[in-house]
Amino acid sequence: EKGTYPYYMLKEIDEQPLVIRRLIEKYRNEQGELAIDEDIVQAVNEADRLYIVACGTSYHAGLVGKQLIENWAKIPVEVHIASEFSYNMPLLSEKPLFIYISQSGETADSRAVLVRTKELGHKSLTITNVPGSTLSREADYTLLLHAGPEIAVASTKAYTAQIAVLAMLASVAAKAKGIALDVDVTKELGIVANAMETLCDAKHEMEQIAREYLATTRNCFFIGRAVDYYVVLEGALKLKEISYIQAEGFAGGELKHGTIALIENGTPVIALATQEHVNLSIRGNVKEVVARGANPCIISMKGLDMEDDRFVIPAVHPMLTPLVSVVPLQLIAYYAALHRGCDVDKPRNLAKSVTVE
Ligand code: M6R
């Protein structure tokens, strides 16, 4: 039940710190160390390449997962949109493992790929929020998100739970391979949960940003570089699906290759800056759009923040920033939709689970 909340989406955004803390407990052994079913870890480490297959928000979580697994467990990862994979299958490696990410576990596009890869004899792991769901039953292995029911059509807590599970999987796989990581993922996820809480307490700021930038606009651009690019794709999807504002996420360096033509006086451009190695270059991209009249809203991370930033998120481990930087984008989308009188939980033309191909 949504209790005192006006919409499930807001409740589910607020539940995110709790879900991360619950995951830390669920994926811990008696010694208090991070632990994942050994068969799953073995399947991951025996694969010569991982193929993540998903749709929508789950696909966006997969992009972040690729970064985590390649960096920590040193296994090459490809991320595919399920509906494309079905009809345009890439050349597969000798020993692939397929990872299906799906909140509902019922998405038909993803299931079609699972059926096909099973026919080909390949092993599969489903990461889902719903025990006993079709994708969970049909795959060889399952990792659960433990996020509790997600009712709002716009996915929020499932996305952060997916990334947290992928981070845990990447770190446990690395350890099993004898790779020494200089990051204590359990501890870092605890810091993430606290940072999420701080952001959930700053709703009024996000409401203000939505009011200032998005009250009447027809479109909005999101830019980011490195892992921030993946997060802005998610921020743009959230905004468009519930507020009907045309929103697009771009890699910071890519706007000038065409899309910058759309920038007019007052066009909102929301930029994420949480990555040190691209901090100056994303700010350079903001200058480019400002020179064409854009109304910039820079959301940065403590330690990398600069004078004109609109909002600064608390510092977390650089590989885990998506878990935190997505929260303001979820809230901005929520308030933009609310201010525009949209039905936040049940946007037009959309269903919670897409069970047709
Ligand atoms: O249940 P799934 O994770 O497989 O669903 C995939 C997409 O349909 C879903 O993430 C969709 O994009 C959401 N409405 C996004 O908020």
Side-chain angles (χ1 to χ4, degrees), residues 69-88:
I69 295 167
E70 290 192 339
N71 269 276
W72 288 350
K74 310 290 179 205
I75 306 166
V77 182
E78 290 181 19
V79 193
H80 292 272
I81 294 171
S83 57
E84 279 300 302
F85 192 102
S86 290
Y87 303 101
N88 199 7

Side-chain angles (χ1 to χ4, degrees), residues 249-326:
F250 287 95
E254 193 61 17
L255 270 190
K256 62 180 176 296
H257 296 288
T259 311
I260 204 164
L262 293 173
I263 303 287
E264 298 172 341
N265 255 345
T267 305
V269 175
I270 299 179
L272 269 192
T274 75
Q275 300 294 307
E276 191 172 9
H277 63 301
V278 292
N279 196 22
L280 294 181
S281 43
I282 190 68
R283 288 163 188 285
N285 298 136
V286 171
K287 288 202 182 94
E288 289 162 7
V289 292
V290 168
R292 274 88 179 171
N295 186 14
C297 173
I298 302 178
I299 298 177
S300 63
M301 193 172 72
K302 188 123 189 79
L304 302 176
D305 52 309
M306 293 188 185
E307 209 185 319
D308 292 327
D309 295 355
R310 188 64 176 75
F311 188 78
V312 181
I313 63 174
V316 297
H317 189 282
M319 292 289 292
L320 300 176
T321 58
L323 292 165
V324 176
S325 59
V326 77

Side-chain angles (χ1 to χ4, degrees), residues 55-58 101-105 107 153-155 237-238 241 354:
C55 307
T57 288
S58 298
I101 307 181
S102 174
Q103 188 284 131
S104 62
T107 299
V153 165
S155 182
L237 176 59
K238 281 299 81 96
E241 73 175 329
V354 184

Side-chain angles (χ1 to χ4, degrees), residues 54-60 101-108 110 127-128 135 145 150 152-156 158 162 234 237-238 241-242 347 350-354:
C55 307
T57 288
S58 298
Y59 168 74
H60 294 156
I101 307 181
S102 174
Q103 188 284 131
S104 62
E106 301 297 341
T107 299
S110 302
I127 299 180
T128 183
L135 284 170
L145 298 172
E150 193 184 62
V153 165
S155 182
T156 53
Q162 285 161 349
E234 173 59 9
L237 176 59
K238 281 299 81 96
E241 73 175 329
I242 60 170
L350 291 171
K352 181 62 183 163
S353 322
V354 184

